[in-house]
Amino acid sequence: KTTGVELLLTKDRPIGLSGFLAMTYVNRLQNVPPLYGGQTEDFYPSIPAASLALGNLYRAGYLSPLNARLGLNYKSRGGFRINPIVSYDKGFPIVGAGSLATAFVNNVAVILPNTNVSVPGYGIIANGGAPSVVTQYVSPTNPGSVFNPNIAATRGTAETPLAGGNLSKARFNTDLDFEFSKPGSKGTFGLYINNLFNQIYAEPALNSRYQPVATGVAGPQTGQTTGTVLFPNLGFTNFGPERFGQSAYNLSPSNAPIRFRFYYSIAL
């Protein structure tokens, strides 16, 4: 189910200030939980059978509900041009596990608390219930039941009932282009600055190597792995400080850092 509205404003002038403003609000709900099973739902969707049977709807993880793009272009009569391009998004759904999970219990689709016992091997099949991607942990000495678990600790982060209900922080991304073309000349000198404010991080994701100790308190093995690295920079590695490996969420660098590109173009 998708609803939304779009806005596009443009102004085009050969000399002086011109530009455009594009804004989109979209609300997309679907049966596929965000990044369910490690897959991106827009590329390789996989709908949990229990979620489909119950008619659950999740916010699409690959869309920001509000985004905008502003491009301004100022060109002088002397041949100088400056063109800033600013992109904004309100944030993307954080791939949280949700405090509730859909599951089959005795072949009946149900909704139950999403904890580290809501996994195959306990008589149920739950979406988002694997121990590596949950935020609620039961007491090992008194776990309770899957319907009424005795939750001893959580990651201390806000959770909506279903996965993907929380948004990451809003982001601005800016590119800047400078050009000079002498009047009557066919050549243009330019400087393009990509990622002007050096924003390199993407959206946070649940730390898959989380060791719960108490609510909001991570153990010393958080961010660690016993996997063996066979070759440099390949295989399993521990989450380093640049990914905030000791926190409940990982924040991995994904965008390219600030870049400067000098160019010269000629009209034939």
Side-chain angles (χ1 to χ4, degrees):
K1 297 181 179 181
T2 305
T3 57
V5 61
E6 295 180 337
L7 171 69
L8 175 62
L9 301 175
T10 61
K11 178 68 174 180
D12 189 15
R13 300 177 62 184
I15 300 297
L17 183 65
S18 59
F20 71 90
L21 172 64
M23 300 181 66
T24 302
Y25 169 79
V26 60
N27 182 37
R28 179 171 177 80
L29 302 176
Q30 58 189 24
N31 290 114
V32 186
L35 295 181
Y36 171 68
Q39 304 290 342
T40 54
E41 67 269 25
D42 59 330
F43 175 72
Y44 190 76
S46 178
I47 303 176
S51 174
L52 187 60
L54 291 167
N56 287 350
L57 293 176
Y58 307 84
R59 188 192 297 271
Y62 54 89
L63 288 174
S64 173
L66 177 64
N67 61 76
R69 190 171 177 86
L70 173 66
L72 297 176
N73 184 67
Y74 179 80
K75 187 173 183 180
S76 71
R77 297 185 183 276
F80 288 96
R81 186 178 76 89
I82 181 171
N83 176 208
I85 304 171
V86 181
S87 301
Y88 163 84
D89 66 67
K90 183 177 175 58
F92 286 80
I94 296 175
V95 190
S99 60
L100 300 176
T102 60
F104 282 107
V105 178
N106 298 324
N107 295 321
V108 177
V110 296
I111 296 178
L112 45 75
N114 191 12
T115 70
N116 60 316
V117 301
S118 303
V119 293
Y122 291 86
I124 65 174
I125 302 176
N127 73 288
S132 62
V133 292
V134 297
T135 60
Q136 302 177 114
Y137 303 87
V138 303
S139 169
T141 58
N142 182 24
S145 68
V146 291
F147 290 101
N148 187 26
N150 181 19
I151 299 174
T154 73
R155 298 193 186 205
T157 57
E159 283 288 337
T160 54
L162 297 180
N166 290 326
L167 296 178
S168 61
K169 291 184 178 180
R171 296 185 305 173
F172 282 95
N173 189 66
T174 304
D175 292 349
L176 190 58
D177 190 21
F178 296 96
E179 282 189 353
F180 172 71
S181 179
K182 186 178 180 180
S185 172
K186 294 184 178 181
T188 300
F189 295 90
L191 167 64
Y192 193 92
I193 305 175
N194 180 261
N195 193 10
L196 179 65
F197 298 109
N198 201 34
Q199 297 174 306
I200 64 172
Y201 286 100
E203 289 73 41
L206 279 174
N207 189 338
S208 60
R209 304 171 190 170
Y210 189 82
Q211 181 192 31
V213 174
T215 295
V217 179
Q221 294 181 359
T222 297
Q224 308 299 308
T225 178
T226 58
T228 302
V229 180
L230 300 180
F231 301 98
N233 301 320
L234 296 176
F236 291 97
T237 59
N238 295 326
F239 292 150
E242 74 281 356
R243 296 182 66 185
F244 306 94
Q246 289 292 316
S247 65
Y249 283 80
N250 288 133
L251 194 58
S252 302
S254 64
N255 299 325
I258 184 172
R259 290 173 294 175
F260 298 87
R261 178 165 60 91
F262 296 92
Y263 62 91
Y264 175 77
S265 61
I266 186 170
L268 300 178

